[in-house]
Every structure is written in structure tokens, then in C-alpha cells.
Amino acid sequence: MSHTRQEAKARILPDYAQLPLEGPEGARTAWGLFGSDDQIGLLNLIDSSTTRNAVKSASIGTSFALSIAGDEVLPMFDRAAPEHTVLTRQNGLGLDDRFDTVYPQSASHWDSLAHAAAGDGKFYNGTTPAEINDDGAICIHHWGARGIATRGIVLDVSDVVAAQGGPGSQVSITVDDLEAARQATGLEYAAGDILLIRTGFLDWYRSIGPTERESLADRSTIRSCGLDRSENMVEYLWNAHVAGIAMDNPTAEVWPGQSSGPCASLHRVLIGLLGMAIGELWNLDALAAACQTEDKYDVLLVSAPTTMVGAIGSPANAVAIL
């Protein structure tokens, strides 16, 4: 098959209602859509045509680094803070450094397709834990080997979140909220886009004190705004044909959420069943402010995930060019 035909095939997706009910517990799944040996999920939608079109979004030329410092947020979900040691070399003529206890997902990061199982002991595309642990199947180095360069669309829902209790509470961001934000941008979604969704979480986090930060770091007391855990949300994101979402909150989905039901965990559905990339704790404040000033909400988004074989998560290593 020619390269052009491969690209055309990758960009044709069925609607959510057309996906087969062949996943765990009869869930809709995109397994096999890009082949039985697919390793990258919806990043298949980012082909050379997608990237060429995305370059047009960098019309102003201002760049924004989208990662926070590795130790800015107290680690959540039983992760540890990174330890940094500077090493003196050559009798003081040179310096190296060493990072220990680095949890990529304790700061701005990507979750790979190996991060969340769909259920029944199976991950995206029916991958088993043994295939992940032994062979590095669906791990993030497959993304790192190709890099990510696509159009990002900035959706700011921080006003909605603030009006309903704030980022540190269980505010569910609905499909209507996302659609209103999209309409405000004047943009239409295109296959291979990545949605950059600002909730205002990091801006709020920087304003709170040590006690509140410690509460957020405790798995039993963490509260965060996030995407509504509903099939309506899953259908909306899938039918937008985006390659992924990246948000400034720590959980993407509202936390905590319901304990049962087909969408009790959006991670398991979006990652495990549909192969969608998820980014969390991305630094979107300055970018969103610039978008509002320029009345322009599309960017060239470039990210270089780690190429460490078998890695489950990766620092975002992302830059948006407005």
C-alpha cells in the first residue's frame, strides 16, 4: 500500500455508535481498527498531512512550554517526589547530575496505552500484561519513536469550573461545556487534533497553602474537577476524532467519581478501549491567556515522549507554538 493510501486509511474512522461491542463486558472498542499489531492507537491519525496542516497554526510564532517543574506539585496517588543530586566531576571542572525516584506522572506527563487496562486483564487491542512487561507492547516508546506534531485546540472551561465550586472540588465538565468552549474558538475539530483543556487547576493550586496541598496528595482525600464520567463524553471525544486530550488537572476525569457503570473510569475507556492519548498536569495558563488576547485558539503542538523501551508514562516534553 502506498504511503498516501496508508494516510487516507488512517484518517477514516467510524462513529462511536458504529464501533463493535466486542470489548470486555460488551463495551464498544476500537481494537483492531488500525491492525491487530497496532502499538500507538489514535496517534495513527497524526500522519504527514495532519502535521503539514498543523504547521499553518503557528502563524504568530510565539512558543509556550507546557510542562511544570518536576517538583512543583506534591506527588499524588502514592507517587514520590523526584530527588536531584548534582555530581562534581574532573576536580570541579565539570558537573553531572542524577535523578532518583522519578515518577513521570507526578508532573506534566503522558499516559501511555499501557497505563490503564480495559478490563478482564486486557489492555488496548487485547494486549496482555505479559506482552507489556516482557515485550514493551503498547508502551510509550512507540510514541517516542515517532514524536507528536499535530494541531492543538485550546478549550478553556475554567470559568465554568470556578462557577460550580472550583478546580479542587468534584466539578464534572460536561459535553455541553466542551462544546461551548469549542464554539467560542470558532474552530471545527479535525482528525488527529489534540484538545488542550484548561480547567484552572494549576492556577488554583499555586494559590493554596501547604495543608490543602497535602490533602490533594493523599489518595483518600484528593478532589479534582475533570471530565464527566459518561458515555456521552466518550462519544463526543471519539466522534471529534481527536488523537488525544491534555489537561491541567491531575486526573483528566472528575475525581472521585462513581464506583460502577461502563464509564466509572474514563481512563479505562479512553485508553484501554479506544486507544486515546491522555495528558495531565499540563501547564496551560499562559497559553490560554495568549489565545484569548490574540483571539486565536489553534496551535502547532509538538511533543517528544520518552524512548525508554517499556516505559508506561513520560514527561510531556511539549511545546505549543501559537
Side-chain angles (χ1 to χ4, degrees), residues 78 84 116 232 287 292:
D78 305 319
H84 178 219
N232 192 31
L287 172 62
Q292 184 173 28

Side-chain angles (χ1 to χ4, degrees), residues 130-218:
E131 290 171 322
I132 293 171
N133 293 325
D134 297 343
D135 305 324
I138 66 170
C139 290
I140 210 159
H141 67 278
H142 296 288
W143 295 359
R146 72 199 303 272
I148 298 172
T150 191
R151 185 176 73 154
I153 294 181
V154 180
L155 302 179
D156 194 336
V157 295
S158 59
D159 287 348
V160 172
V161 171
Q164 295 185 34
S169 57
Q170 291 172 268
V171 177
S172 289
I173 299 161
T174 67
V175 164
D176 288 344
D177 297 331
L178 292 185
E179 181 59 15
R182 182 201 64 78
Q183 291 181 18
T185 70
L187 299 169
E188 299 289 339
Y189 298 139
D193 287 343
I194 289 177
L195 304 185
L196 303 174
I197 304 171
R198 178 178 180 262
T199 70
F201 182 92
L202 281 176
D203 188 41
W204 166 80
Y205 185 90
R206 292 171 177 129
S207 72
I208 63 177
T211 300
E212 288 177 284
R213 293 188 179 199
E214 289 172 5
S215 179
L216 284 167
D218 187 329

Side-chain angles (χ1 to χ4, degrees), residues 233-257:
M233 177 61 69
V234 173
E235 182 173 21
Y236 178 82
L237 294 174
W238 175 268
N239 286 348
H241 297 337
V242 296
I245 58 172
M247 302 180 62
D248 61 348
N249 67 334
T251 56
E253 58 201 277
V254 62
W255 195 273

Side-chain angles (χ1 to χ4, degrees), residues 12-25:
I12 298 172
L13 286 181
D15 287 340
Y16 179 75
Q18 297 173 315
L19 291 175
L21 296 166
E22 298 175 353
E25 301 179 0

